[in-house]
Amino acid sequence: MTNILQNLNPEQLEAVTLPPVSDDGKAQSAMILAGAGSGKTKVLTTRIAWLIQTGQASPLGILAVTFTNKAAREMKERVGKLLSREEAKGLSVSTFHTFGLNLLRIELKHLPLKANFSILDADDCKRILMDLMQRDNLSGAESKELIAKAMKKISDWKNDLVIPEQAHSTCETPEDVQLAHLYQLYERNLRAYNAVDFDDLIVMPTRLLQENAEVRDKWQNRVRYLLVDEYQDTNTAQYTLVKLLVG
């Protein structure tokens, strides 16, 4: 235990060893604010090791999430240097999207998806939108600029947790109305194809936790300690997912 704490400065040590529960029995949380290269990831990974080695947490009850595969790999490697393989068994360190995908697979029976659903990449989504615009005789089906705008607008709606039926109420221009209509067609097509896009990997788990109390309770009990790298970069859906997981 001394070994993993000995190279921390006083502020890092305070963050790493913050008791999960206060003296009056309330859960405690912490936000670490520090500049680049000052050891935020070191604090996060050392806290994981400290929670496990002090017996305050089972690795099965810890979830650490970040934004890129590279960052997730680095976090896993750093934790691997602090813990033995046996100590780290069951620990979940991943991107938001990988966590969301795992949740969808586990909770498939509660979702409008079938087993072996597909995950569409940006090119797949672009082709679907082009086909929909041509099929619906919408102007601009050949416009790369309009397709790119449609993809961004639909992504923004999803990440703000705006469903197609609500999107129309946010429209300010005739083009927005066209894009809201396209969003509705696009979502129907994804479900018909038994497919999700990249945004759905966050949005669908978030909606499921919002709407299903049984599933929400299950995951709140499962995730006892949640650590978020680069927390300031969370969008509305990711932030809502974090809040739903911690209860």
Side-chain angles (χ1 to χ4, degrees):
M1 180 53 57
T2 306
N3 289 342
I4 70 168
L5 299 179
Q6 65 184 2
N7 293 321
L8 302 177
N9 65 36
E11 289 76 17
Q12 291 172 332
L13 183 64
E14 182 184 4
V16 166
T17 59
L18 177 78
V21 179
S22 64
D23 292 338
D24 58 1
K26 292 182 179 177
Q28 296 198 109
S29 60
M31 183 183 289
I32 311 303
L33 303 174
S38 58
K40 295 189 297 296
T41 304
K42 180 180 182 180
V43 165
L44 191 151
T45 52
T46 307
R47 181 162 177 79
I48 291 171
W50 179 80
L51 286 167
I52 292 171
Q53 289 189 346
T54 57
Q56 297 187 71
S58 159
L60 289 167
I62 296 176
L63 169 64
V65 287
T66 187
F67 286 85
T68 66
N69 289 321
K70 180 182 177 184
R73 279 195 304 271
E74 183 184 350
M75 284 168 59
K76 283 179 184 175
E77 287 169 6
R78 291 205 195 186
V79 172
K81 291 175 182 176
L82 299 172
L83 296 171
S84 68
R85 183 172 295 184
E86 189 60 33
E87 286 176 319
K89 192 174 181 181
L91 176 67
S92 180
V93 179
S94 71
T95 63
F96 270 100
H97 290 88
T98 298
F99 168 73
L101 175 59
N102 290 336
L103 189 150
L104 292 183
R105 286 174 172 158
I106 291 168
E107 304 297 346
L108 193 62
K109 66 181 181 181
H110 299 291
L111 297 161
L113 295 169
K114 301 186 184 84
N116 301 317
F117 59 86
S118 304
I119 304 169
L120 305 183
D121 62 20
D123 288 337
D124 294 326
C125 298
K126 193 181 296 183
R127 278 192 291 272
I128 288 173
L129 287 171
M130 289 175 68
D131 289 345
L132 287 171
M133 291 180 77
Q134 288 170 348
R135 199 186 313 164
D136 219 42
N137 292 319
L138 298 176
S139 59
E142 304 302 324
S143 168
K144 290 182 180 178
E145 184 179 338
L146 185 59
I147 294 294
K149 187 180 287 187
M151 287 183 69
K152 183 180 186 310
K153 188 68 175 176
I154 290 171
S155 179
D156 287 345
W157 270 321
K158 286 194 173 194
N159 287 317
D160 285 336
L161 299 176
V162 175
I163 61 175
E165 292 76 15
Q166 296 168 327
H168 284 280
S169 66
T170 70
C171 295
E172 297 178 354
T173 67
E175 184 178 81
D176 285 346
V177 173
Q178 179 178 328
L179 295 180
H181 175 63
L182 195 57
Y183 178 24
Q184 203 157 20
L185 297 176
Y186 172 76
E187 284 294 276
R188 282 183 200 154
N189 269 257
L190 290 191
R191 298 299 87 82
Y193 291 144
N194 191 35
V196 296
D197 63 19
F198 203 53
D199 293 320
D200 285 329
L201 298 180
I202 305 294
V203 174
M204 291 184 81
T206 302
R207 288 203 177 285
L208 178 60
L209 294 179
Q210 281 180 321
E211 296 166 4
N212 190 312
E214 181 184 345
V215 174
R216 183 169 63 248
D217 288 345
K218 171 184 169 181
W219 283 88
Q220 286 179 356
N221 287 320
R222 184 169 180 162
V223 179
R224 306 303 298 171
Y225 299 92
L226 177 61
L227 300 99
V228 184
D229 187 33
E230 304 292 356
Y231 181 71
Q232 75 283 352
D233 290 338
T234 52
N235 60 32
T236 300
Q238 289 160 338
Y239 174 66
T240 304
L241 179 60
V242 165
K243 288 209 300 181
L244 289 164
L245 286 171
V246 299

